């Protein structure tokens, strides 16, 4: 007999796969279309009877990844309006097990919970109830409009967590042992949730993979983006006007605007997003997000939540190597790029060259941008939380992919297949190649399970020694790794 569970919206029927109860496409909020478009997430209308929960639900309106990234990152698109849905994997519907809620990445404009690598069966196998959620993306989720709530995508995430609080016990989960986790934009969301008043009390632990607390824009920049988008569309920057635009037309316009911002890279016009090129990241609106997450964490926000946070050693190769950009940068261009990210002192660039003396200029540039975008923000969260004696564990993923003649290295998103213990899936091979080390996946997956279950993942907190776990061909802790490069960013990032 297939499993049936009562939820606050009605009864749902899932499937049983290898002893795990699986439920897909359960709505946690009302479909954000029609009168609810660009509104805060509303309650799910109750349904009669038993609703099938056997297929992934619709994905939020989004564009596909551009070539060649589309060959490296699996990006399903499923039509329909019930985009505010989630999926549950449970090993025991009568249990009281720890819960992980996964927030997908994709620069706030891509991704969904239907990505194959996000299959939660192996977490369920190891005693965790796993939940993967969707949320609104791009302008639908993050454009700052005059008469709409700000940061709707983050409000969606809060609504999903409220659903978990109210329903997860019926799926065998313990609502008092919820860990939120995410990668890239999902990790940036995790740290934003740490700082958001509306999210307090909805989770006990948090995992942030390749994302931290700097990637937000000011309300002024958000208004500039919304104004530019509205000019492209020929409408006013209001909820009413944007709601009259077909989702596909809106997605096409936001893609053109993002391309323009990346081309211009003008801080005078585009503020914070001139460097990270994420035109629809969250904004500091003063209410949903009262300040930059890193600043609020520094003031103690989320100090009652245990945190596991880290990055990959070669994050930026995903964005440079497949396009061949790394080989096009000469010394002058690499130094110019470093200056654009704040390292204006030539000695700082020279320090990066000395750290990897065999590196080409493009490799040095990628190392610098990695630190600006990922490593330094991760360490700033750990530093800020250490001041408040908040339990914080830091890691770095070091295993190098053999793809692109080894130049892809420990690239962005490569860690996901290891964390989920899903290296057997074809989508893992797109980044990891044909023979990634299963023993590393076993170790990383176990650390994530242990953290969600009891707190300690298997190595000491960051602390004053700045301890990090390095996950690679060998796994070991190291104290204050690359300290000379870290200190170059003091006062800059």
């Amino acid at each position: 007999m297939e499993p049936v569970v009562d939820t606050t919206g009605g009864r749902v029927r899932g499937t049983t796969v290898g002893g795990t109860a699986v439920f897909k496409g359960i709505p946690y909020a009302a479909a954000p279309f029609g009168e609810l478009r660009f509104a805060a997430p509303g309650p799910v209308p109750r349904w009669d009877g038993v609703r099938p929960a056997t297929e992934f639900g619709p994905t939020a309106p989004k564009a596909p990844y551009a070539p060649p990234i589309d060959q490296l990152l699996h990006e399903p698109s499923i039509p329909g309006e019930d985009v505010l849905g989630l999926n549950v994997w449970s090993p025991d519907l009568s249990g009281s097990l720890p819960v992980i809620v996964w927030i997908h990445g994709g620069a706030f404009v891509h991704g969904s919970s239907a990505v194959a690598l996000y299959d939660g069966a192996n977490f369920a196998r190891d005693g965790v109830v796993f939940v993967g959620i969707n949320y609104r993306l791009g302008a639908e989720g993050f454009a700052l409009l005059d008469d709409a709530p700000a940061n709707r995508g983050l409000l969606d995430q809060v609504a999903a967590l409220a659903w978990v609080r109210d329903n997860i016990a019926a799926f065998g989960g313990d609502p008092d042992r919820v860990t939120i986790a995410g990668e890239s934009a999902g990790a940036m969301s995790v740290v934003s949730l740490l700082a958001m008043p509306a999210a307090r009390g909805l989770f006990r632990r948090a995992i942030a993979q390749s994302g931290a607390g700097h990637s937000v824009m000011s309300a002024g920049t958000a208004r500039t983006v919304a104004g530019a988008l509205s000019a492209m569309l020929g409408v006013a920057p209001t909820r009413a006007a944007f709601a009259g635009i077909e989702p596909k037309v809106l997605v096409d316009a936001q893609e053109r605007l993002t391309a323009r911002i990346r081309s211009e890279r003008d801080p005078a016009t585009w503020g914070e997003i001139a460097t990270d090129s994420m035109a629809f990241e969250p904004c500091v609106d003063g209410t949903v997000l009262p300040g930059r997450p890193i600043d609020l964490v520094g003031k103690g926000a989320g100090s009652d939540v245990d945190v596991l946070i880290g990055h990959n050693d070669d994050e930026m190769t995903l964005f440079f190597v497949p396009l061949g950009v790394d080989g096009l940068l000469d010394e002058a261009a690499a130094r110019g790029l470093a200056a654009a990210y704040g390292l204006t002192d030539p000695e700082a660039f020279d320090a990066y060259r000395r750290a990897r003396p065999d590196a080409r200029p493009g490799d040095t540039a990628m190392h610098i941008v990695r630190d600006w975008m990922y490593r330094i923000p991760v360490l700033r969260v750990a530093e800020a939380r250490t001041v408040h004696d908040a339990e914080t564990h830091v890691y770095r993923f070091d295993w190098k992919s053999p793809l692109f003649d080894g130049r892809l290295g420990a690239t962005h998103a490569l860690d996901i297949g290891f964390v989920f213990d899903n290296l057997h899936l074809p989508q893992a091979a797109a980044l990891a190649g044909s023979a990634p080390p299963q023993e590393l996946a076993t170790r990383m997956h176990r650390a994530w399970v242990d953290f969600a279950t009891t707190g300690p993942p298997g190595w000491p907190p960051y602390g004053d020694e700045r301890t990090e776990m390095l996950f690679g061909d060998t796994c070991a802790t190291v104290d204050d790794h690359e300290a000379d490069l870290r200190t170059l960013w003091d006062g800059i990032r």
Side-chain angles (χ1 to χ4, degrees), residues 3-324:
V4 176
V5 170
D6 267 322
T7 75
T8 49
R11 303 177 79 198
V12 293
R13 177 185 291 110
T15 58
T16 301
V17 182
T20 294
V22 182
F23 301 81
K24 297 178 179 178
I26 304 173
Y28 66 80
F33 292 96
E35 293 183 358
L36 296 180
R37 198 164 175 213
F38 296 98
V44 176
R46 281 194 61 86
W47 57 84
D48 296 325
V50 181
R51 179 183 180 122
T54 57
E55 304 288 341
F56 288 119
T59 53
K62 56 189 171 64
Y65 284 111
I69 302 299
D70 62 338
Q71 300 301 308
L72 302 174
L73 301 179
H74 181 55
E75 179 76 337
S77 291
I78 303 170
E81 292 194 344
D82 270 324
V83 301
L84 300 184
L86 50 76
N87 318 304
V88 181
W89 286 260
S90 174
D92 181 4
L93 295 178
S94 63
S96 185
L97 301 170
V99 180
I100 290 179
V101 179
W102 178 256
I103 305 170
H104 69 78
F108 298 103
V109 293
H110 299 290
S112 81
S113 64
V115 169
L117 281 178
Y118 303 159
D119 186 294
N122 293 329
F123 280 104
R125 176 198 67 198
D126 294 327
V128 174
V129 175
F130 187 87
V131 181
I133 69 170
N134 288 345
Y135 54 96
R136 279 173 285 184
L137 305 171
E140 301 273 359
F142 294 97
L144 185 60
L145 305 176
D146 292 346
D147 51 355
N151 293 309
R152 295 170 297 279
L154 293 179
L155 291 177
D156 293 344
Q157 296 170 16
V158 172
L161 290 172
W163 186 96
V164 168
R165 177 197 62 202
D166 297 338
N167 292 277
I168 206 64
F171 293 86
D174 182 351
D176 294 322
R177 285 198 292 165
V178 173
T179 297
I180 59 171
E183 186 269 346
S184 195
M188 297 165 191
S189 297
V190 164
V191 181
S192 293
L193 289 164
L194 277 177
M196 289 171 56
R200 287 177 190 152
L202 292 175
F203 53 93
R204 182 173 176 180
R205 298 186 177 96
I207 302 173
Q209 300 172 216
S210 301
H214 287 70
S215 296
V216 295
M217 68 179 92
S218 68
T221 298
R223 290 191 183 94
T224 297
V225 170
L229 187 61
S230 66
M232 277 186 166
L233 295 165
V235 300
T238 64
R239 175 185 170 190
F242 270 55
I245 304 296
E246 287 293 324
K248 184 181 186 308
V249 173
L250 184 59
V251 167
D252 289 345
Q254 73 187 32
E255 287 289 289
R256 294 198 308 274
L257 178 58
T258 298
R260 174 184 162 191
I261 293 167
R262 287 175 178 162
S263 174
E264 294 177 0
R265 291 194 176 275
D266 179 13
T269 302
W270 302 112
E272 305 89 340
I273 61 173
T275 42
D276 72 18
S277 299
M278 291 195 295
F280 298 97
E281 66 189 10
C283 74
V284 178
D285 66 291
T287 302
V288 176
L289 197 56
R292 282 199 319 164
I294 184 59
D295 298 330
L296 297 175
V297 168
K299 294 175 182 177
S303 292
D304 58 336
V305 175
D306 298 338
V307 168
L308 171 60
I309 190 168
H311 71 93
N312 296 357
D313 193 38
D314 304 300
E315 298 272 11
M316 298 309 300
T317 56
L318 181 65
F319 313 103
F320 283 64
V321 169
L323 293 166

Side-chain angles (χ1 to χ4, degrees), residues 440-473:
L440 179 57
T442 299
R443 182 158 186 172
M444 288 191 75
H445 176 75
R446 172 48 58 185
W448 267 236
V449 169
D450 288 348
F451 179 77
T453 303
T454 60
W459 66 92
Y462 187 71
D464 294 334
E465 292 79 19
R466 300 179 179 272
T467 301
E468 300 178 46
M469 168 62 81
L470 306 186
F471 287 107
D473 289 322

